[in-house]
């Protein structure tokens, strides 16, 4: 039944069926959760071998660095080789242009913004804050829908967020270039370039090249904050590859304007993985110097564990195929439910990601909050509507992020049954208000 073609009688009849079904779900007293993109226990089990790789007899490593002691602030050389290869940094540059830190890439993003804001990222840069002192705000471009924590980070610094449209191939680059050219107080853009959170899109080669070129047309100290959190997280081996922004920036002479981030949070252990970044040699030097004010060094024992367990890019890819085998059925359950119940009804659209952790669903305008609260009433927790937009404000109130990796498959199926019922219920209620 298509919502725009059905008669009022048909819609009323369908509404009463959906209401009954909704009540039946409420009576089940479910407690299901499709909110945060976390790996499941079965995924975490894949990396248990990591815990056996370093012990009292074998902590010596190639460079004879004692990982138990202070120092090596920028990370073990072998860890730079491993994680730098995920960021497509060329071998000859890796040691100077990659920084390997502690357990979180978000921490490295926070520090990067903090350092750029207060001190200048590389030595000699003017701090963004000097612009604030001159009475001008700092602004950041935020492709939407996007990752909520990028937005809350900006909010914490008082950075004004400018939403930018996503096209399915990354941000609308005509809009981005026009904004950046017209306003030198824009100091950066957030990007999740492969299997974006939540849309799942992969930025096209043209988009990557144009983003790498922004440093040439932007105001001073502009940064492309390239959060490649899902760089190797494809659901199948035909998933779209991502062009290297490192190579694009190198050829355009803009490496100072691109900072890449990543972590093994969704490769090995979330919360006990390794975060890393890469940029120009000068930025990495500046970052390391500033980071040294906060710590004498990150956990090198965990870095060594990761090097031994994952070995190299091939090792990472083989390991990620095991993750894909676990989470593929869950993504398939989400898609199957949406195709069975929402396809051809005119009540919503959704992404079909080839990787990452999310499915992005668009309700009819004005219904996301209603659907989320109906689902909560029936025991299914969804990411709050609006969370994927700056300041929690989705102007169309239509985006809902579904995160199917953590619950068991059976629970994903039940949660989706509740969800599609709520979508239909809210859509028809809106069409024929009582
Ligand atoms: C786009 C994106 N970046 C970063 C993170 C967090 O990464 P980390 O655990 O390395 O801090 C997440 C986690 O959901 C994410 O979706």
């Amino acid at each position: 039944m298509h919502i725009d073609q059905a008669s009022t009688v048909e819609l009323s009849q369908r509404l009463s069926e959906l209401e009954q079904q909704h009540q039946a779900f409420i009576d089940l007293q479910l407690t299901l959760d499709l909110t945060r993109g976390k790996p499941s226990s079965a995924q975490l089990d894949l990396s248990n071998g990591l815990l056996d790789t370093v012990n009292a007899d074998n902590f010596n490593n190639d460079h004879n660095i004692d990982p138990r002691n202070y120092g090596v602030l920028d990370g073990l050389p072998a860890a730079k080789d491993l994680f730098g290869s995920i960021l497509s940094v060329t071998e000859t540059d890796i040691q100077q242009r990659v920084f390997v830190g502690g357990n979180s890439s978000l921490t490295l993003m926070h520090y990067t913004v903090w350092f750029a804001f207060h001190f200048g990222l590389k030595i000699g840069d003017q701090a963004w804050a000097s612009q604030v002192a001159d009475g001008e705000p700092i602004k950041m471009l935020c492709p939407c829908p996007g990752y909520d924590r990028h937005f809350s980070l900006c909010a914490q610094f008082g950075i004004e967020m400018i939403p930018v449209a996503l096209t399915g191939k990354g941000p609308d680059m005509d809009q981005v270039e026009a904004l950046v050219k017209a306003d030198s107080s824009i100091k950066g853009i957030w990007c999740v370039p492969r299997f974006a959170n939540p849309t799942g899109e992969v930025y096209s080669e043209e988009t990557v090249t144009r983003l790498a070129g922004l440093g040439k047309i932007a105001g001073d100290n502009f940064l492309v904050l390239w959060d490649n959190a899902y760089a190797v997280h494809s659901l199948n081996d035909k998933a779209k590859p991502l062009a290297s922004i490192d190579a694009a920036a190198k050829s355009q002479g803009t490496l100072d304007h691109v900072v890449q981030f990543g972590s093994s949070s969704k490769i090995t252990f979330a919360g006990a993985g390794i975060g890393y970044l890469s940029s120009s040699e000068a930025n990495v030097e500046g970052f390391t110097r500033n980071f040294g004010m906060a710590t004498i060094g990150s956990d090198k024992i965990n870095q060594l564990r990761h090097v031994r367990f994952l070995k190299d890019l091939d090792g990472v890819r083989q390991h990620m195929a095991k993750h894909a085998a676990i989470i593929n059925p869950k993504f398939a359950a989400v898609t199957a439910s949406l195709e069975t119940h929402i396809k051809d009804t005119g009540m919503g659209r959704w992404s079909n990601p080839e990787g990452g952790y999310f499915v992005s669903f668009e309700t009819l305008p004005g219904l996301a909050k209603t659907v989320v609260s109906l689902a909560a009433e029936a025991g299914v927790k969804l990411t709050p509507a609006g969370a994927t937009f700056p300041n929690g404000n989705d102007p169309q109130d239509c985006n809902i992020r579904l995160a199917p990796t953590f619950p068991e498959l059976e629970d994903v199926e039940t949660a989706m049954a509740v969800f599609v019922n709520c979508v239909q219920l809210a859509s028809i209620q809106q069409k024929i208000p009582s």
Side-chain angles (χ1 to χ4, degrees):
M1 185 188 69
H2 193 287
I3 192 163
D4 294 329
Q5 285 150 17
S7 66
T8 311
V9 174
E10 284 170 322
L11 288 173
S12 304
Q13 197 179 336
R14 182 76 186 121
L15 183 60
S16 112
E17 288 164 13
L18 292 162
E19 280 166 348
Q20 275 177 35
Q21 181 59 67
H22 187 61
Q23 188 55 50
F25 284 133
I26 293 173
D27 294 343
L28 289 176
Q29 300 197 327
L30 300 167
T31 48
L32 301 173
D33 192 331
L34 283 186
T35 57
R36 291 237 80 93
K38 294 202 291 191
S40 63
S41 306
Q43 288 176 269
L44 297 172
D45 286 346
L46 294 173
S47 299
N48 284 345
L50 186 79
L51 300 172
D52 299 326
T53 55
V54 180
N55 60 45
D57 301 323
N58 71 0
F59 53 78
N60 280 326
N61 53 82
D62 295 347
H63 288 77
N64 231 5
I65 294 166
D66 189 336
R68 302 168 306 171
N69 218 332
Y70 276 144
V72 198
L73 183 58
D74 52 344
L76 288 181
K80 291 186 181 186
D81 285 339
L82 172 65
F83 295 119
S85 69
I86 296 181
L87 297 178
S88 301
V89 180
T90 50
E91 264 173 53
T92 44
D93 281 3
I94 278 181
Q95 293 305 318
Q96 298 75 39
R97 298 211 290 108
V98 175
F99 175 96
V100 180
N103 72 329
S104 158
S105 60
L106 188 61
T107 303
L108 300 180
M109 293 176 226
H110 191 272
Y111 273 117
T112 300
V113 170
W114 187 0
F115 298 160
F117 198 98
H118 285 296
F119 314 116
L121 186 54
K122 67 178 183 317
I123 296 148
D125 277 355
Q126 202 178 21
W128 293 349
S130 62
Q131 184 175 307
V132 181
D134 292 342
E136 238 190 302
I138 303 296
K139 299 176 192 158
M140 191 81 80
L141 300 183
C142 298
C144 290
Y147 178 39
D148 50 352
R149 289 177 192 264
H150 290 161
F151 305 150
S152 45
L153 193 163
C154 280
Q156 189 194 24
F157 282 89
I159 294 173
E160 201 176 293
M161 291 172 266
I162 305 176
V164 170
L166 280 165
T167 63
K169 294 175 180 174
D172 177 338
M173 287 311 296
D174 291 341
Q175 191 189 3
V176 167
E177 286 166 351
L179 283 163
V180 159
K181 262 189 210 157
D183 187 350
S184 64
S185 64
I186 297 173
K187 290 296 168 210
I189 179 168
W190 286 111
C191 297
V192 184
R194 194 167 192 226
F195 313 132
N197 174 354
T199 62
E201 65 199 83
V202 180
Y203 291 13
S204 69
E205 188 167 358
E206 187 200 334
T207 305
V208 173
T209 307
R210 289 171 74 178
L211 282 162
L214 288 179
K216 292 188 291 191
I217 56 171
D220 293 342
N221 306 321
F222 179 91
L223 295 176
V224 177
L225 298 164
W226 196 252
D227 178 2
N228 208 347
Y230 303 104
V232 288
H233 302 58
S234 40
L235 289 169
N236 60 64
D237 33 348
K238 292 185 196 71
K240 278 183 214 76
L242 176 72
S244 163
I245 194 159
D246 196 72
K250 214 172 194 183
S251 72
Q252 297 182 65
T254 54
L255 274 177
D256 282 343
H257 300 280
V258 175
V259 189
Q260 296 195 76
F261 302 93
S263 81
S264 70
S265 289
K266 284 156 193 164
I267 299 175
T268 56
F269 296 148
I274 300 290
Y276 41 92
L277 66 74
S278 160
S279 187
S280 66
E281 194 172 336
N283 278 351
V284 171
E285 191 197 349
F287 180 92
T288 308
R289 200 184 275 202
N290 282 313
F291 195 74
M293 301 300 131
T295 178
I296 305 169
S298 302
D299 179 352
K300 294 183 294 300
I301 295 179
N302 203 27
Q303 293 181 8
L304 185 57
R305 283 194 200 107
H306 278 76
V307 169
R308 290 199 177 147
F309 182 68
L310 295 169
K311 296 186 177 68
D312 54 21
L313 196 50
D314 269 348
V316 172
R317 289 199 179 115
Q318 283 166 29
H319 185 71
M320 293 315 291
K322 296 179 196 162
H323 280 278
I326 294 172
I327 63 178
N328 254 323
K330 298 180 183 182
F331 277 88
V334 172
T335 310
S337 177
L338 294 170
E339 288 195 348
T340 307
H341 299 283
I342 309 294
K343 195 171 170 199
D344 299 330
T345 65
M347 299 189 210
R349 302 181 294 159
W350 59 94
S351 61
N352 277 303
E354 294 181 305
Y357 263 54
F358 305 100
V359 172
S360 183
F361 186 85
E362 305 267 306
T363 66
L364 291 172
L367 287 185
K369 283 200 181 96
T370 309
V371 169
V372 170
S373 83
L374 282 169
E377 195 175 69
V380 175
K381 213 169 151 198
L382 298 171
T383 306
T388 52
F389 283 77
N391 303 312
N393 177 26
D394 174 358
Q396 296 286 316
D397 184 25
C398 67
N399 184 253
I400 297 177
R401 185 181 82 167
L402 302 171
T405 57
F406 185 70
E408 295 299 323
L409 177 59
E410 208 179 293
D411 289 343
V412 174
E413 287 166 346
T414 310
M416 284 308 296
V418 172
F419 178 73
V420 293
N421 201 69
C422 294
V423 170
Q424 295 173 79
L425 187 55
S427 306
I428 299 180
Q429 273 171 348
Q430 187 191 53
K431 186 88 179 171
I432 47 162
S434 53

